[in-house]
Amino acid sequence: MVHLTQVVFAGLVAWPTIVTAAATGDNKAWPQSVSLKSFIGTEQKIALDGVLANIGPNGTRVPGAGPGIVIASPTKENPNYFYTWTRDAALTYKTLVDEFLFGNKALQPYIEDYIHSQAVLQTVTNPSGKLLPSGAGLGEPKFNADGSRYNGNWGRPQRDGPALRAIALIEYSNYLVKNEEKERVKKVIWPVIANDLAYVGQYWNSTTFDLWEEVSGTSFFTTQSQYRSLVTGSALASSLGLSCDACTTQAPQILCFLNSPAFFDSAKGHLLGNINILSFSRSGIDANTLLGPLAAFDVNAKCDSPTLQPCHSKVLSTFKVLVDTFRDPKLYPINAGIQKTKGVALGRYPEDIYYTGNPWYLITLGAAELLYDAVAQWEKQGFVAVDKTNEGFFKTIYPLARAGTIYRAWPVLNGLSAFSAILSAVTTYADSFVSVVQRYTPASGSLAEQFLKTAPGTPTSADNLTWSFASFLSMTRRRQKQFPTSWVPSSSSSSSLTKVPSTCQATSFKGTYAPALSAGAPNLTITCQSTILFQVNASTYYGENIYLTGNSSDLGNWDLGQAIPMQSSNYTSERPLWFAKVPLTAGENVRYAFVREQDCGQGWIWEDVDVTKGNRTVSVPACVEGEEETVRGETDDAFRGKGGSSGGC
Ligand SMILES: *[C@@H]1O[C@H](CO)[C@@H](O)[C@H](O)[C@H]1NC(C)=O
Ligand SMILES: *[C@@H]1O[C@H](CO)[C@@H](O)[C@H](O)[C@H]1NC(C)=O
Ligand SMILES: *[C@@H]1O[C@H](CO)[C@@H](O)[C@H](O)[C@H]1NC(C)=O
Ligand SMILES: *[C@@H]1O[C@H](CO)[C@@H](O)[C@H](O)[C@H]1NC(C)=O
Ligand SMILES: *[C@@H]1O[C@H](CO)[C@@H](O)[C@H](O)[C@H]1NC(C)=O
Ligand SMILES: *[C@@H]1O[C@H](CO)[C@@H](O)[C@H](O)[C@H]1NC(C)=O
Ligand SMILES: *[C@@H]1O[C@H](CO)[C@@H](O)[C@H](O)[C@H]1NC(C)=O
Ligand SMILES: *[C@@H]1O[C@H](CO)[C@@H](O)[C@H](O)[C@H]1NC(C)=O
């Protein structure tokens, strides 16, 4: 999630205004005299309560949230996270489904509420588009707490949401299928999942905003999660006697892309968080590449699986690069003086300046979880393969490591087993990341989004962040050697979905979409539409946005709460272009106008056109069934009237 106020200027996503970090919660740190085990035991309960307190309708910290709606954080100011993000909600629910499968049956009503809430959200028309006919609306990253559309300017679409939601719902559905509820899955849950899988199959090869909502391109985390959704979707479809053509045709190509050289900087030894970026200067070192393998974890998968598991050589090498980057006290002063063999506080990426760019709880916990995962995978496969790529990772904590394979079955010499020694060193290393979190957790146990990179590491940004709590829960389970159900087809299976094609192709499978009526989605009527590209030259200052509205419900009927936020990704000083592609009902005449949204709460500035008699009109040409997304008409306008001025906030 993130969460920057998305300000777009001159074709680049600009950095947010830095807000003075508001100290959150109490600053009294968790007593260090308490053992790690005891800290984890206490915090595990706080974390589960913390997650549930942020879910409507009964969540004590989020009054007003609808049933099954996960609020990112109860914090409403500096920053306002009182919204539901599709990604955060899905990752949270994946963890809750795991908890349910580990035996917490009391969670079932929450999961059922989630299914219903998502079936409805899928049908909410939003600035990314609609469910029908193209599925475009499924890429919307966030909604208001009551499930209504969020209309502000934002980094959209974000294509990881549908994949992650499908993953969570599929895991739950697999449980129901095994427990004699196959018919209910088929009727109620599958239609929700099928929309999301169709979306992934259709759009995986289109650019997206990343999970931090800042970069438009291709995100490693998104691609990896998309792959998993289609593989598990295909298996669920089979078990229901259905098929998923989007899954079977697209999954191999996503896997090919994921393993392509484009995602790995072999000179520097790390996976790249974002590629296909138009113009950008970042190292590509990004915790996105750590969270992806966590979301793809399968304890039974082999380390050389192209699914890029926690114990994969490239993932371990990336881990080392990421940790070494944040170990630098010039970047994070609180990491000064920590031994090389111990974990440190980790953040999103080294160039981060959001809230001054601090360590995140969920990433530091994610590092521990990744190492527990890897240990479990080595235990399962019975050997550790050290190679040129991951040698550096092993040497940090086990200086004797050399390229070669270390088998569990080797005879123990002088009471020493190299295999056990390595696993034990990695486990100790994992624990040391949890100890970092213990050090910076306030005595109340609340987990914010971040803690300051300077002493004393005060919690900052949003408080009681749902995702932070969820990451604590999953880390704890892995440490206790409790694992989610497997999903990677074994190499001996006949599945072709885990074989990497020899050449990668840019592909897409056109999806069909329908409201999941049995899960409670409203019926939608569909009119054939044609897409109009609205273009307006409007010089804006940093922080100012342009909206489009008009006399059609698709343009919000002059209501600015429903207007279309325009995009500025092609804005240059030569051409200050703002644009929006909007499907409109074929054959209509539509009147429209542009409106400036000023910064600092200074309000709106309408164009100098009389809204009731506004004289800009566009005639929407005839539609072509199945090609509603093709641009069939465009406008070329210049904003009329005065410009705004920055409020300087
Ligand atoms: C977060 O939780 C702590 C501990 O329960 C509480 O004191 C604080 O008010 C909460 N913050 C928010 C924004 O809900
Ligand atoms: C929320 O509270 C209502 C009323 O007590 C109850 O019926 C419902 O099951 C609760 N929902 C969840 C998810 O616990
Ligand atoms: C689409 O797929 C091709 C082939 O793997 C790849 O080279 C390209 O970067 C992808 N583009 C996007 C936007 O995903
Ligand atoms: C949903 O709407 C469509 C189109 O108006 C209609 O054909 C269909 O019967 C409706 N379905 C239900 C279950 O009401
Ligand atoms: C924006 O720029 C890209 C890359 O040059 C181009 O492909 C696209 O058509 C442009 N879009 C608009 C609406 O001008
Ligand atoms: C919008 O304005 C156009 C042009 O005046 C008109 O033809 C059209 O009927 C209006 N649409 C609606 C929904 O009133
Ligand atoms: C539309 O309105 C603007 C502003 O009142 C005026 O300058 C322009 O001439 C009008 N255009 C047409 C085609 O009527
Ligand atoms: C918008 O700017 C472009 C580039 O300067 C120009 O070609 C076009 O005519 C402008 N459009 C209007 C309506 O002024």
Side-chain angles (χ1 to χ4, degrees):
M1 83 183 98
V2 166
H3 311 355
L4 46 92
T5 326
Q6 218 237 317
V7 186
V8 181
F9 180 68
L12 277 182
V13 175
W15 306 116
T17 320
I18 298 172
V19 187
T20 314
T24 57
D26 52 338
N27 298 340
K28 210 159 140 275
W30 196 276
Q32 292 305 300
S33 51
V34 170
S35 72
L36 185 67
K37 188 158 174 257
S38 147
F39 163 69
I40 291 173
T42 310
E43 186 67 25
Q44 182 182 16
K45 185 173 178 316
I46 294 173
L48 179 59
D49 292 346
V51 167
L52 300 182
N54 289 352
I55 299 179
N58 304 334
T60 51
R61 290 194 180 120
V62 293
I69 295 286
V70 180
I71 300 301
S73 153
T75 301
K76 287 188 171 168
E77 262 176 39
N78 280 340
N80 182 358
Y81 279 19
F82 204 86
Y83 298 98
T84 185
W85 271 264
T86 305
R87 168 185 37 262
D88 298 36
L91 288 167
T92 299
Y93 263 100
K94 170 67 170 68
T95 300
L96 290 183
V97 171
D98 288 342
E99 291 291 315
F100 169 74
L101 297 177
F102 294 142
N104 187 346
K105 297 298 174 217
L107 295 175
Q108 195 153 19
Y110 289 89
I111 301 170
E112 295 290 335
D113 279 355
Y114 177 63
I115 296 165
H116 172 74
S117 70
Q118 301 306 299
V120 175
L121 276 192
Q122 285 187 334
T123 65
V124 174
T125 295
N126 61 64
S128 293
K130 301 181 183 192
L131 176 65
L132 302 180
S134 67
L138 297 174
E140 179 66 3
K142 76 177 207 185
F143 295 84
N144 294 322
D146 63 1
S148 62
R149 73 192 256 164
Y150 170 74
N151 220 48
N153 199 310
W154 209 253
R156 47 170 75 91
Q158 294 179 21
R159 306 191 198 275
D160 53 349
L164 296 165
R165 179 164 59 199
I167 290 169
L169 293 178
I170 288 166
E171 181 166 65
Y172 181 60
S173 297
N174 287 335
Y175 161 85
L176 295 179
V177 168
K178 284 201 199 79
N179 287 276
E180 321 295 332
E181 290 200 71
K182 190 164 157 173
E183 286 315 308
R184 187 162 77 91
V185 172
K186 209 164 159 172
K187 184 158 179 275
V188 178
I189 314 180
W190 174 255
V192 183
I193 296 171
N195 283 331
D196 286 340
L197 297 177
Y199 183 87
V200 173
Q202 182 162 353
Y203 299 108
W204 70 269
N205 203 207
S206 306
T207 52
T208 172
F209 272 84
D210 68 330
L211 78 171
W212 311 132
E213 314 192 287
E214 295 171 350
V215 182
S216 176
T218 304
S219 154
F220 178 83
F221 172 84
T222 300
T223 303
Q224 192 171 24
S225 298
Q226 288 171 332
Y227 173 70
R228 176 176 179 165
S229 71
L230 296 190
V231 172
T232 53
S234 171
L236 175 63
S238 304
S239 74
L240 297 173
L242 302 169
S243 63
C244 174
D245 294 340
C247 303
T248 49
T249 61
Q250 302 305 299
Q253 281 307 325
I254 304 180
L255 189 63
C256 196
F257 186 28
L258 196 63
N259 283 272
S260 71
F263 269 122
F264 191 68
D265 183 331
S266 51
K268 301 198 176 105
H270 64 85
L271 291 159
L272 292 160
N274 298 289
I275 62 173
N276 288 333
I277 308 160
L278 274 184
S279 95
F280 208 59
S281 53
R282 272 198 203 169
S283 57
I285 297 167
D286 192 317
N288 160 341
T289 58
L290 181 155
L291 299 180
L294 280 188
F297 171 62
D298 176 347
V299 69
N300 293 311
K302 299 290 180 275
C303 297
D304 62 0
S305 163
T307 57
L308 301 181
Q309 293 293 318
C311 67
H312 192 280
S313 185
K314 282 184 189 173
V315 174
L316 295 174
S317 171
T318 304
F319 185 95
K320 175 171 161 52
V321 172
L322 186 79
V323 173
D324 285 351
T325 300
F326 288 112
R327 197 177 280 289
D328 181 353
K330 290 198 285 296
L331 191 59
Y332 280 0
I334 54 168
N335 287 340
I338 296 178
Q339 293 169 331
K340 283 223 157 32
T341 55
K342 295 273 183 246
V344 291
L346 302 179
R348 301 190 299 176
Y349 52 89
E351 302 84 358
D352 196 359
I353 57 164
Y354 180 60
Y355 276 80
T356 73
N358 294 297
W360 283 43
Y361 289 99
L362 72 94
I363 295 169
T364 310
L365 291 166
E369 182 173 331
L370 185 124
L371 299 177
Y372 296 133
D373 287 351
V375 166
Q377 292 177 316
W378 290 317
E379 270 169 356
K380 284 270 179 187
Q381 73 173 20
F383 64 88
V384 175
V386 180
D387 60 27
K388 282 276 166 273
T389 305
N390 65 24
E391 196 175 10
F393 166 83
F394 286 106
K395 279 202 150 83
T396 307
I397 46 166
Y398 188 74
L400 295 175
R402 298 283 175 278
T405 303
I406 298 135
Y407 292 93
R408 176 173 45 216
W410 277 357
V412 176
L413 294 173
N414 307 326
L416 288 175
S417 151
F419 181 80
S420 312
I422 288 186
L423 267 54
S424 152
V426 175
T427 305
T428 304
Y429 192 32
D431 283 350
S432 68
F433 284 93
V434 187
S435 295
V436 170
V437 167
Q438 178 179 3
R439 194 172 315 139
Y440 299 109
T441 297
S444 68
S446 67
L447 294 178
E449 179 182 75
Q450 312 178 21
F451 48 102
L452 290 180
K453 61 188 169 186
T454 46
T458 308
T460 188
S461 184
D463 197 12
N464 298 316
L465 189 83
T466 315
W467 192 358
S468 294
F469 287 133
S471 73
F472 198 93
L473 289 177
S474 54
M475 176 285 295
T476 302
R477 293 296 181 177
R478 297 313 167 269
R479 189 172 186 275
Q480 295 165 347
K481 301 200 182 296
Q482 287 175 289
F483 308 112
T485 27
S486 281
W487 69 273
V488 178
S490 75
S491 49
S492 60
S493 84
S494 60
S495 173
S496 58
L497 303 188
T498 46
K499 299 200 173 60
V500 185
S502 53
T503 49
C504 297
Q505 285 164 349
T507 60
S508 164
F509 186 91
K510 192 162 175 48
T512 53
Y513 304 87
L517 301 178
S518 299
N523 198 3
L524 300 175
T525 47
I526 170 167
T527 51
C528 194
Q529 297 197 315
S530 295
T531 292
I532 304 294
L533 170 62
F534 289 89
Q535 305 177 99
V536 61
N537 296 337
S539 296
T540 44
Y541 60 83
Y542 179 95
E544 191 181 28
N545 292 304
I546 302 288
Y547 282 68
L548 163 69
T549 186
N551 77 336
S552 133
S553 59
D554 293 312
L555 297 182
N557 275 326
W558 307 116
D559 169 4
L560 293 183
Q562 308 280 310
I564 307 282
M566 299 184 80
Q567 297 178 47
S568 64
S569 46
N570 288 21
Y571 186 112
T572 61
S573 47
E574 291 74 44
R575 182 166 197 201
L577 174 67
W578 288 79
F579 70 92
K581 289 181 187 171
V582 190
L584 295 170
T585 301
E588 270 188 345
N589 276 322
V590 175
R591 278 190 293 126
Y592 63 96
F594 303 102
V595 192
R596 290 175 186 272
E597 183 196 31
Q598 301 240 72
D599 70 357
C600 311
Q602 298 183 91
W604 303 87
I605 302 181
W606 283 82
E607 273 195 290
D608 289 342
V609 290
D610 180 335
V611 171
T612 51
K613 300 190 225 89
N615 63 1
R616 293 190 191 287
T617 56
V618 61
S619 308
V620 186
C623 64
V624 178
E625 185 94 38
E627 289 184 21
E628 290 84 352
E629 298 293 290
T630 309
V631 171
R632 302 242 170 250
E634 51 184 76
T635 78
D636 175 20
D637 296 309
F639 194 92
R640 288 181 195 147
K642 65 177 174 119
S645 53
S646 173
C649 55

